[in-house]
Every structure is written in C-alpha cells, then in structure tokens.
C-alpha cells in the first residue's frame, strides 16, 4: 500500500527574468512501513519537495497524494485532519526557545487536541521517555541542553500526535558522530516500536547505510535512481559515484 505518491510534481521559481526549474515532473511512490531516504546534491530541491509533501509549500504543478488525500484539491478541514497524521522534524528543527522541553512537546497536543491537561502531561512524559530523555529534562529550556537532546526533544514533539508517517529533514546534521549514530539507533527503535513509515532527507552517508530500506536520488530535477543500496555503486551518475565512493558499508 502506498503512503505517499508524487505524480509529475514540478517546481520552479523566477530568478530575475529567468524561470528556474528545480523539480521537473517528478513521480515516485512511497510504500507503507518502509524507511526511505531522499538524496541529492545540495540545492537539488529536497527540502522544497519535503515542504510540498507536508503542505508548507504550494504545489506548482502535478499532484501529491498523502494517505489517500490529493493535496491539490484538499479542503481546509481535511488538511487540518491530515496534519495530525504525520510528524515533521526539520533541519532547523526549531524548538521554541521561550518554552521548556515539556511545553514544546505538548504544543501539538494543545493546538490540535482537546485533551485535558492531565492527559497531555501523561502523553508528554511518555514521549520524553521513548526518545531517551530523562524525566528531569522536561523542565529545561532549549538553551540549557545539548544538540543531541534538542533533536530528541524535537523528535518527541514530532511524535506527539502518534503519527504513522514521519518526515525528517537532515536529522543528524549538526550532531557530532556519536550523537548522530545514537540518533539513528533511536529512529530505528521507534520505527519498530511505533510502526512508522519514514521519509528522510539526508546527507549523512553512514546514517543512510545504517537506517534506510530504500533511496530515491534526485539529480538534475529528476529521480535518477530508486531502489536499495546493494547495487548503488554500479549506477553511472556523477553525483552517485562521488557520494557513495569509499563508504563504509553497514557492519552486520
Ligand atoms: P536542497 O534541500 O536539496 O538543498 P532546496 O529545496 O532547499 O534544496 O532548494 C533548492 C534550490 O532552490 C536552492 O538553491 C534554493 O535557494 C532555491 N529556491 C527554492 N525556492 C526558491 C524561491 N522561491 N526563490 C528563490 N530560490 C528558491
Ligand atoms: Mg535541504
């Protein structure tokens, strides 16, 4: 079953007097229950595509279908409902600096649910524990915690509404290698625990080898490769050759 479908999605913008196309009739189907990574050179439109998938950016042409809803013709009320069914962790996964960890995680619940404060507190405490933060971290502010803890808190917030679909944009960027590997392990654990489907944009090759089932590689405005990583180095594409050269494969 597909969880998200791209059908001839194009995106461009006007730069002075020239029209620049970033995505040119991209089509791709993401299946339920898998861990996907979207790869591609910097500036190839990965974040743009992710923002279109979560309705943060208008679709210029083509269609994106998420959990059976066509985004180009979705009603306001359907869009509201759909937003509760996915979690998003952006690269600048900004926690609100004026709110402590607990209140940051509670935010979607306060905004989208009519649960009692007591219930919200319980859910937040549970999310704090599943991402591996300590109960005592709940009252700390973003400025008081490490980068790794911030990512965990942002992940807990993305999971606040129990989504089945999780979007991650460069989740390990800015983390030291140890925290990055720890974050990968956490994502894998939560995927199994919560039965998540995951779509991740990443540059972190080790992370990609350690976590994903499938990759979709964007280059020159198109998907130039889709599949698993087993035969990736045989693909004749400059970006792929450069990106995947000399990589440590997953040690099983
Ligand atoms: P990636 O995440 O793959 O690095 P992005 O999706 O962030 O790529 O951006 C693709 C390119 O398009 C970038 O060079 C960005 O600056 C440019 N871009 C996207 N939207 C606009 C816009 N509305 N105006 C100008 N430039 C844009
Ligand atoms: Mg990006």
């Amino acid at each position: 079953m597909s969880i998200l479908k791209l059908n001839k999605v194009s995106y461009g913008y006007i730069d002075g007097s020239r029209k620049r196309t970033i995505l040119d009739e991209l089509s791709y189907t993401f299946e339920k229950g898998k861990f996907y990574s979207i790869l591609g050179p910097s500036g190839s439109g990965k974040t743009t595509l992710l923002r279109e998938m979560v309705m943060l950016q208008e679709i210029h042409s083509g269609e994106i279908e998420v959990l059976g809803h066509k985004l180009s013709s979705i009603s306001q009320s359907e869009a509201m409902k759909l937003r509760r069914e996915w979690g998003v962790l952006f690269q600048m996964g900004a926690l609100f600096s004026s709110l402590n960890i607990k209140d940051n995680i509670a935010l979607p619940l306060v905004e989208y649910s009519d649960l009692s404060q007591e219930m919200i507190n319980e859910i937040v405490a549970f999310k704090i524990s599943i991402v591996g933060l300590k109960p005592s971290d709940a009252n700390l502010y973003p400025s008081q915690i490490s980068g790794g803890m911030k990512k965990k808190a942002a992940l807990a917030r993305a999971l606040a509404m129990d989504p089945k679909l999780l979007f991650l944009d460069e989740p390990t960027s800015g983390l030291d290698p140890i925290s990055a590997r720890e974050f990968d392990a956490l994502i894998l654990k939560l995927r199994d625990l919560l039965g998540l489907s995951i779509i991740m944009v990443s540059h972190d090759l080790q992370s990609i080898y350690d976590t994903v089932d499938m990759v979709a590689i964007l280059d020159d405005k198109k998907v130039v490769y889709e599949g698993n990583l087993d035969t990736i180095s045989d693909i004749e594409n400059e970006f792929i050759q450069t990106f995947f050269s000399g990589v440590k494969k997953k040690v099983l």
Side-chain angles (χ1 to χ4, degrees), residues 43 46-48 91 169-170 201:
K46 304 179 297 294
T47 297
T48 303
Q91 186 174 0
D169 192 0
E170 310 261 7
V201 167

Side-chain angles (χ1 to χ4, degrees), residues 11 13 22 41-48:
Y11 182 86
Y13 63 94
I22 308 175
S42 182
S44 60
K46 304 179 297 294
T47 297
T48 303

Side-chain angles (χ1 to χ4, degrees), residues 112-131:
Y112 291 123
S113 80
D114 42 22
L115 295 170
S116 67
Q117 189 59 52
E118 205 182 351
M119 199 62 197
I120 290 178
N121 292 344
E122 274 191 34
I123 295 171
V124 169
F126 174 65
K127 304 293 166 179
I128 284 178
S129 78
I130 61 171
V131 298

Side-chain angles (χ1 to χ4, degrees), residues 13-252:
Y13 63 94
I14 307 293
D15 176 13
S17 57
R18 292 184 56 186
K19 181 167 190 288
R20 292 192 190 272
T21 303
I22 308 175
L23 306 173
D24 185 14
E25 301 206 338
L26 226 67
S27 295
Y28 192 77
T29 300
F30 297 87
E31 302 294 337
K32 190 174 174 211
K34 289 216 158 75
F35 194 147
Y36 287 90
S37 185
I38 300 172
L39 307 176
S42 182
S44 60
K46 304 179 297 294
T47 297
T48 303
L49 185 60
L50 212 62
R51 287 173 57 82
E52 290 196 339
M53 290 175 180
V54 297
M55 298 191 286
L56 284 172
Q57 193 148 308
E58 189 193 350
I59 300 166
H60 285 184
S61 88
E63 183 64 271
I64 300 182
E65 197 176 320
V66 188
L67 303 169
H69 297 268
K70 291 194 164 74
L71 299 188
S72 66
S73 55
I74 196 164
S75 69
Q76 287 266 3
S77 63
E78 271 184 322
M80 268 290 277
K81 268 193 241 154
L82 192 54
R83 283 200 170 91
R84 297 174 207 178
E85 294 188 38
W86 64 56
V88 189
L89 177 57
F90 275 111
Q91 186 174 0
M92 303 301 162
L95 296 168
F96 289 96
S97 56
S98 60
L99 299 179
N100 64 22
I101 299 309
K102 181 173 66 178
D103 291 340
N104 263 289
I105 299 170
L107 212 57
L109 296 160
V110 172
E111 195 174 338
Y112 291 123
S113 80
D114 42 22
L115 295 170
S116 67
Q117 189 59 52
E118 205 182 351
M119 199 62 197
I120 290 178
N121 292 344
E122 274 191 34
I123 295 171
V124 169
F126 174 65
K127 304 293 166 179
I128 284 178
S129 78
I130 61 171
V131 298
L133 291 171
K134 296 195 296 291
S136 57
D137 296 331
N139 296 313
L140 298 175
Y141 284 82
S143 62
Q144 298 173 308
I145 62 176
S146 69
M149 288 168 79
K150 277 184 204 155
K151 296 274 183 182
K152 287 179 186 173
L155 182 62
R157 186 175 63 185
L159 296 173
M161 302 288 291
D162 293 328
K164 285 289 174 222
L165 174 58
L166 182 64
F167 295 96
L168 305 166
D169 192 0
E170 310 261 7
T172 54
S173 79
L175 295 182
D176 63 80
I178 291 170
S179 307
R181 300 295 73 82
E182 194 189 331
F183 195 83
D184 288 341
L186 172 64
I187 295 275
L188 282 180
K189 186 188 94 179
L190 293 178
R191 175 194 78 160
D192 294 342
L193 189 70
L194 307 172
L196 299 169
S197 303
I198 302 177
I199 300 178
M200 168 175 87
V201 167
S202 183
H203 257 112
D204 182 338
L205 203 43
Q206 195 61 52
S207 172
I208 291 161
Y209 268 110
D210 286 349
T211 59
V212 310
D213 302 315
M214 301 284 277
V215 292
I217 302 182
L218 297 186
D219 194 17
D220 202 18
K221 312 175 187 81
K222 301 268 193 197
V223 175
V224 291
Y225 176 81
E226 52 178 280
N228 63 30
L229 293 163
D230 300 346
T231 53
I232 191 86
S233 50
D234 301 340
I235 308 297
E236 287 183 26
N237 169 283
E238 200 183 330
F239 167 74
I240 295 176
Q241 288 294 334
T242 313
F243 191 76
F244 286 94
S245 58
V247 177
K248 273 188 276 166
K249 291 209 178 170
K250 182 172 182 174
V251 182
L252 288 169

